[in-house]
C-alpha cells in the first residue's frame, strides 16, 4: 500500500503524466460542472421560494456562497502545495499555485462584490468593517501579493520558495474567516449550511445552493487543469515530449 502511494505521489510530480491525465478529465469536469451549476442557478434564481424576511434579495446567495467557499478552498489547496514545494520541490506544486492564484483572486472579489450587493438591502449599507468582510478583504490582498511576487522574481526556484512561504504565512487567515462570526459580534450571518449539521434552510433552497457549489468546484477543476497545462507547456517547452506533442497537434 505504501509503495502504491509513493508511486502515485511521484506520478503527480511528472508534468508529462499530469498533462495526459488532465486531458482525459477536463471534458468530464467541464460537462458535469456546467450542468450542476446551471441547474443550481436556474433553480435557485427562478424557482426557489422567497425568503421569509429578506424576500428575493437573498437569491444572490446562490452566487455569493459558492464563490466564497471556493475562494477559501483554493487558498487551502495552495497552502498544501506550498508545503510540497518546500519539502519535495515538485514542479507541479509551484505550477498549481501559479495557475490558480488568479482564479482565487477573481472569486474572492466576486464574493466581496456579491456580499456588498446583498448587504445593501439587508444591512442598509454596502460595506462595514465586519470581521468576516475584513478577513475576506485580507484574503484578496493575499492573492494579489502572491501574484505580484510570482511576477517580481524571475528565477524559478527562488520564486517558488518565496511564493510558498507567503502562501503558508497567509493561510492563518482562513480559520479567521471561518470562525469570525463565532469569535466576534458581527453583522454577517453564520454559515448557511455545514456538512456536519442539518441545514437551517428549506430543501428547495439548500439543494440548488449545493448544486451551485458542486458545479463551481468542478468547473474550477477544469479551469485549473487547463491553466496548469498552459504553464506546463511554457516551462517544459524544451523537452522532447512537448516538441513531439506540438508536432502531433500540428499534423
Amino acid at each position: 500500500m505504501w509503495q502504491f502511494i509513493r508511486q502515485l505521489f511521484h506520478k503527480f510530480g511528472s508534468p508529462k503524466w499530469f498533462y495526459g491525465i488532465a486531458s482525459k478529465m477536463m471534458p468530464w469536469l467541464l460537462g458535469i460542472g456546467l450542468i450542476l451549476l446551471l441547474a443550481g442557478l436556474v433553480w435557485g434564481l427562478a424557482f426557489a421560494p422567497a425568503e421569509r424576511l429578506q424576500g428575493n434579495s437573498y437569491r444572490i446567495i446562490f452566487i455569493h456562497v459558492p464563490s466564497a467557499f471556493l475562494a477559501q478552498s483554493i487558498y487551502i489547496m495552495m497552502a498544501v502545495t506550498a508545503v510540497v514545494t518546500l519539502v519535495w520541490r515538485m514542479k507541479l506544486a509551484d505550477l498549481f499555485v501559479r495557475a490558480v492564484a488568479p482564479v482565487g483572486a477573481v472569486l474572492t472579489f466576486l464574493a466581496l462584490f456579491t456580499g456588498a450587493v446583498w448587504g445593501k438591502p439587508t444591512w442598509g449599507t454596502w460595506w462595514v468593517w465586519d470581521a468576516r468582510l475584513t478577513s475576506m478583504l485580507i484574503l484578496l490582498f493575499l492573492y494579489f501579493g502572491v501574484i505580484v511576487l510570482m511576477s517580481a522574481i524571475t528565477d524559478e526556484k527562488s520564486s517558488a520558495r518565496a511564493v510558498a512561504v507567503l502562501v503558508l504565512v497567509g493561510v492563518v487567515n482562513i480559520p479567521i474567516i471561518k470562525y469570525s462570526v463565532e469569535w466576534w459580534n458581527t453583522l454577517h450571518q453564520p454559515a448557511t449550511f455545514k456538512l456536519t449539521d442539518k441545514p437551517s434552510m428549506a430543501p428547495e433552497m439548500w439543494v440548488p445552493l449545493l448544486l451551485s457549489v458542486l458545479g463551481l468546484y468542478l468547473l474550477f477543476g477544469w479551469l485549473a487543469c487547463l491553466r496548469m497545462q498552459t504553464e506546463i507547456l511554457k516551462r517544459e517547452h524544451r523537452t522532447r515530449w512537448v516538441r513531439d506533442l506540438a508536432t502531433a497537434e500540428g499534423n
Side-chain angles (χ1 to χ4, degrees):
M1 182 65 180
W2 177 244
Q3 184 67 21
F4 172 76
I5 295 175
R6 287 185 62 186
Q7 291 176 354
L8 187 63
F9 187 72
H10 285 294
K11 274 188 176 180
F12 272 106
S14 167
K16 180 180 179 181
W17 182 86
F18 179 85
Y19 191 96
I21 198 68
S23 297
K24 296 177 181 178
M25 293 169 53
M26 285 167 61
W28 294 97
L29 292 170
L30 178 60
I32 299 174
L34 281 174
I35 291 172
L36 292 178
L37 182 60
L38 288 174
L41 290 178
V42 171
W43 185 352
L45 297 176
F47 298 104
E51 206 273 334
R52 183 171 59 90
L53 297 177
Q54 300 182 41
N56 286 316
S57 64
Y58 91 100
R59 295 185 191 277
I60 203 166
I61 196 175
F62 298 104
I63 301 172
H64 174 73
V65 169
S67 58
F69 274 11
L70 187 51
Q72 297 171 66
S73 297
I74 291 173
Y75 201 92
I76 293 172
M77 296 178 208
M78 288 169 51
V80 172
T81 54
V83 174
V84 175
T85 297
L86 293 175
V87 177
W88 291 283
R89 300 183 182 180
M90 284 189 174
K91 294 179 180 179
L92 283 183
D94 177 54
L95 291 180
F96 177 81
V97 175
R98 293 177 179 275
V100 305
V103 181
V106 170
L107 287 168
T108 305
F109 175 80
L110 180 61
L112 288 168
F113 176 76
T114 53
V117 173
W118 190 8
K120 180 60 176 176
T122 305
W123 302 335
T125 182
W126 296 98
W127 179 268
V128 291
W129 291 101
D130 180 274
R132 172 64 62 86
L133 275 66
T134 304
S135 53
M136 279 297 292
L137 182 61
I138 292 173
L139 180 62
L140 180 62
F141 291 153
L142 284 169
Y143 275 122
F144 286 161
V146 169
I147 294 169
V148 170
L149 189 59
M150 287 189 300
S151 304
I153 304 176
T154 56
D155 181 71
E156 290 181 358
K157 293 183 178 179
S158 299
S159 175
R161 288 194 295 269
V163 167
V165 170
L166 176 58
V167 169
L168 289 176
V169 170
V171 78
V172 70
N173 187 53
I174 299 299
I176 295 176
I177 295 173
K178 178 175 175 55
Y179 295 108
S180 57
V181 294
E182 300 175 16
W183 291 346
W184 294 285
N185 183 23
T186 68
L187 285 176
H188 197 285
Q189 68 187 50
T192 304
F193 62 81
K194 301 178 182 178
L195 295 177
T196 55
D197 297 336
K198 182 179 179 180
S200 58
M201 305 170 66
E204 55 268 28
M205 294 179 179
W206 70 258
V207 170
L209 179 58
L210 181 60
L211 291 177
S212 299
V213 171
L214 293 175
L216 191 60
Y217 270 77
L218 290 176
L219 286 179
F220 163 72
W222 167 77
L223 185 57
C225 287
L226 180 63
R227 290 181 58 83
M228 283 190 70
Q229 283 187 328
T230 302
E231 292 291 337
I232 287 171
L233 293 178
K234 285 165 54 179
R235 187 169 294 193
E236 303 288 310
H237 68 278
R238 292 189 178 90
T239 60
R240 181 175 179 178
W241 75 268
V242 172
R243 292 199 299 268
D244 292 343
L245 180 65
T247 301
E249 291 179 349
N251 294 333

